[in-house]
Coordinates of all heavy atoms in Angstrom, one line a residue:
A1 N 121.7 -45.2 -62.9 CA 121.8 -46.4 -63.7 C 120.5 -47.2 -63.6 O 120.0 -47.9 -64.5 CB 122.9 -47.4 -63.2
K2 N 119.8 -47.0 -62.4 CA 118.5 -47.7 -62.2 C 117.4 -47.1 -63.0 O 116.3 -47.7 -63.1 CB 118.2 -47.8 -60.8 CG 119.1 -48.6 -59.9 CD 118.6 -48.6 -58.5 CE 119.6 -49.5 -57.6 NZ 119.1 -49.5 -56.2
A3 N 117.5 -45.9 -63.5 CA 116.4 -45.2 -64.1 C 116.6 -44.9 -65.6 O 115.7 -44.4 -66.3 CB 116.2 -43.8 -63.4
E4 N 117.8 -45.2 -66.1 CA 118.2 -44.8 -67.5 C 117.2 -45.5 -68.5 O 116.6 -44.9 -69.4 CB 119.5 -45.1 -67.8 CG 120.5 -44.1 -67.2 CD 122.0 -44.5 -67.4 OE1 122.3 -45.7 -67.7 OE2 122.9 -43.6 -67.3
D5 N 117.0 -46.8 -68.4 CA 116.2 -47.5 -69.3 C 114.7 -47.0 -69.3 O 114.1 -46.8 -70.3 CB 116.1 -49.0 -69.1 CG 117.4 -49.7 -69.5 OD1 118.2 -49.0 -70.2 OD2 117.7 -50.8 -69.0
Y6 N 114.2 -46.8 -68.0 CA 112.8 -46.3 -67.9 C 112.6 -44.9 -68.5 O 111.7 -44.7 -69.2 CB 112.4 -46.3 -66.4 CG 111.1 -45.6 -66.2 CD1 109.9 -46.4 -66.4 CD2 111.0 -44.3 -65.8 CE1 108.7 -45.8 -66.2 CE2 109.7 -43.7 -65.6 CZ 108.5 -44.5 -65.9 OH 107.4 -43.9 -65.7
C7 N 113.5 -44.1 -68.2 CA 113.5 -42.7 -68.8 C 113.6 -42.7 -70.3 O 112.9 -41.9 -71.0 CB 114.5 -41.8 -68.2 SG 114.3 -41.4 -66.4
A8 N 114.4 -43.6 -70.8 CA 114.5 -43.7 -72.4 C 113.1 -44.1 -72.9 O 112.7 -43.6 -73.9 CB 115.6 -44.6 -72.7
R9 N 112.5 -45.1 -72.3 CA 111.2 -45.6 -72.8 C 110.1 -44.5 -72.7 O 109.2 -44.5 -73.5 CB 110.8 -46.8 -71.9 CG 111.7 -48.1 -72.1 CD 110.9 -49.2 -71.7 NE 110.4 -49.2 -70.4 CZ 111.0 -49.5 -69.3 NH1 112.3 -49.9 -69.3 NH2 110.5 -49.3 -68.1
T10 N 110.1 -43.7 -71.7 CA 109.1 -42.7 -71.4 C 109.4 -41.3 -71.9 O 108.6 -40.4 -71.7 CB 108.7 -42.7 -70.0 OG1 109.9 -42.4 -69.2 CG2 108.1 -44.0 -69.5
G11 N 110.5 -41.1 -72.6 CA 110.8 -39.8 -73.2 C 111.3 -38.8 -72.2 O 111.1 -37.6 -72.4
I12 N 111.9 -39.2 -71.1 CA 112.3 -38.3 -70.1 C 113.9 -38.1 -70.2 O 114.6 -39.1 -70.2 CB 112.0 -38.9 -68.7 CG1 110.5 -38.8 -68.4 CG2 112.7 -38.1 -67.6 CD1 110.0 -39.5 -67.2
D13 N 114.2 -36.8 -70.3 CA 115.7 -36.5 -70.3 C 116.2 -36.6 -68.9 O 115.9 -35.7 -68.1 CB 115.8 -35.1 -70.9 CG 117.3 -34.6 -71.0 OD1 118.2 -35.5 -70.8 OD2 117.5 -33.4 -71.1
L14 N 117.0 -37.6 -68.6 CA 117.5 -37.7 -67.2 C 118.8 -36.8 -67.0 O 119.7 -36.9 -67.7 CB 117.9 -39.2 -67.1 CG 118.3 -39.7 -65.6 CD1 117.1 -39.4 -64.7 CD2 118.6 -41.2 -65.7
R15 N 118.6 -36.0 -66.0 CA 119.6 -35.0 -65.6 C 120.4 -35.5 -64.4 O 120.0 -36.4 -63.7 CB 119.1 -33.6 -65.3 CG 117.9 -33.2 -66.4 CD 118.6 -32.7 -67.7 NE 117.6 -32.2 -68.6 CZ 117.0 -31.1 -68.7 NH1 117.4 -30.1 -67.8 NH2 116.1 -30.8 -69.5
D16 N 121.5 -34.8 -64.0 CA 122.3 -35.3 -62.9 C 121.9 -34.7 -61.6 O 122.2 -35.4 -60.6 CB 123.8 -34.9 -63.2 CG 124.3 -35.7 -64.3 OD1 124.0 -36.9 -64.4 OD2 125.1 -35.2 -65.2
K17 N 121.3 -33.5 -61.5 CA 121.0 -32.9 -60.3 C 119.8 -32.0 -60.3 O 119.4 -31.6 -61.5 CB 122.2 -32.2 -59.6 CG 122.8 -31.2 -60.5 CD 124.1 -30.6 -59.8 CE 124.8 -29.5 -60.7 NZ 125.2 -30.0 -61.9
L18 N 119.2 -31.7 -59.2 CA 118.0 -30.8 -59.2 C 118.3 -29.6 -59.9 O 117.4 -29.0 -60.6 CB 117.5 -30.7 -57.7 CG 116.3 -29.7 -57.5 CD1 115.1 -30.3 -58.2 CD2 116.1 -29.5 -56.0
E19 N 119.4 -28.9 -59.6 CA 119.8 -27.6 -60.2 C 119.6 -27.6 -61.7 O 119.4 -26.6 -62.4 CB 121.1 -27.2 -59.7 CG 121.2 -26.9 -58.3 CD 121.2 -28.0 -57.4 OE1 121.4 -29.2 -57.9 OE2 121.0 -27.9 -56.1
D20 N 119.9 -28.8 -62.3 CA 119.9 -28.8 -63.8 C 118.4 -28.6 -64.4 O 118.3 -28.1 -65.4 CB 120.4 -30.2 -64.2 CG 121.8 -30.4 -64.0 OD1 122.6 -29.4 -63.8 OD2 122.2 -31.6 -63.9
V21 N 117.4 -29.0 -63.6 CA 116.0 -28.7 -64.1 C 115.6 -27.3 -63.6 O 114.8 -26.7 -64.3 CB 115.1 -29.8 -63.7 CG1 115.5 -31.1 -64.3 CG2 115.0 -30.0 -62.2
L22 N 116.1 -27.0 -62.4 CA 115.6 -25.7 -61.9 C 116.1 -24.5 -62.7 O 115.5 -23.4 -62.8 CB 116.0 -25.4 -60.4 CG 115.4 -26.4 -59.4 CD1 115.9 -26.0 -58.0 CD2 113.9 -26.5 -59.5
S23 N 117.2 -24.6 -63.4 CA 117.8 -23.6 -64.3 C 117.3 -23.7 -65.7 O 117.7 -22.9 -66.5 CB 119.3 -23.7 -64.2 OG 119.8 -24.9 -64.7
D24 N 116.5 -24.7 -66.1 CA 116.0 -24.9 -67.4 C 114.7 -24.1 -67.6 O 113.7 -24.4 -67.0 CB 115.7 -26.4 -67.6 CG 115.4 -26.7 -69.0 OD1 115.0 -25.9 -69.8 OD2 115.5 -28.0 -69.4
P25 N 114.7 -23.2 -68.5 CA 113.5 -22.3 -68.7 C 112.3 -23.1 -69.4 O 111.2 -22.7 -69.4 CB 113.9 -21.3 -69.6 CG 115.2 -21.8 -70.4 CD 115.8 -22.7 -69.3
D26 N 112.6 -24.3 -70.0 CA 111.6 -25.1 -70.6 C 110.8 -26.0 -69.5 O 109.9 -26.7 -69.9 CB 112.2 -26.0 -71.7 CG 112.8 -25.1 -72.8 OD1 112.1 -24.1 -73.1 OD2 113.7 -25.6 -73.4
I27 N 111.3 -26.1 -68.3 CA 110.6 -26.8 -67.3 C 109.7 -25.8 -66.5 O 110.2 -24.8 -65.9 CB 111.7 -27.5 -66.4 CG1 112.5 -28.4 -67.1 CG2 111.0 -28.2 -65.2 CD1 111.9 -29.6 -67.8
D28 N 108.5 -26.2 -66.4 CA 107.5 -25.3 -65.7 C 107.4 -25.8 -64.3 O 107.0 -24.8 -63.4 CB 106.1 -25.4 -66.3 CG 106.2 -25.1 -67.8 OD1 106.7 -24.0 -68.1 OD2 105.6 -25.9 -68.6
A29 N 107.6 -27.0 -64.0 CA 107.2 -27.5 -62.6 C 108.1 -28.7 -62.3 O 108.6 -29.4 -63.1 CB 105.7 -27.9 -62.6
V30 N 108.1 -29.0 -61.0 CA 108.8 -30.2 -60.5 C 107.9 -31.0 -59.7 O 107.0 -30.4 -59.0 CB 110.1 -29.9 -59.7 CG1 111.2 -29.2 -60.5 CG2 109.7 -29.0 -58.4
V31 N 108.0 -32.3 -59.8 CA 107.2 -33.3 -59.0 C 108.2 -34.0 -58.1 O 109.1 -34.7 -58.6 CB 106.4 -34.2 -59.9 CG1 105.7 -35.3 -59.1 CG2 105.3 -33.4 -60.7
L32 N 108.0 -34.0 -56.8 CA 109.0 -34.5 -55.9 C 108.6 -35.9 -55.3 O 107.5 -36.0 -54.6 CB 109.2 -33.6 -54.7 CG 109.6 -32.1 -55.0 CD1 109.8 -31.3 -53.8 CD2 111.0 -32.1 -55.8
A33 N 109.3 -36.9 -55.7 CA 109.1 -38.3 -55.1 C 110.4 -38.6 -54.4 O 111.1 -39.6 -54.8 CB 108.7 -39.3 -56.2

């Protein structure tokens, strides 16, 4: 809930867990903060 507005403004598709991006062939890299 704290990130939804920010991600909408910046064109980021907000997923629920790390595995959701690791299994996505369109994602080349992850940046960990």
Side-chain angles (χ1 to χ4, degrees):
K2 292 182 179 180
E4 286 177 337
D5 289 346
Y6 174 80
C7 289
R9 291 197 310 271
T10 52
I12 291 174
D13 179 16
L14 191 57
R15 314 283 180 85
D16 291 323
K17 54 186 182 297
L18 178 62
E19 291 74 17
D20 292 339
V21 297
L22 296 186
S23 61
D24 187 342
D26 294 327
I27 301 296
D28 305 311
V30 295
V31 173
L32 305 177

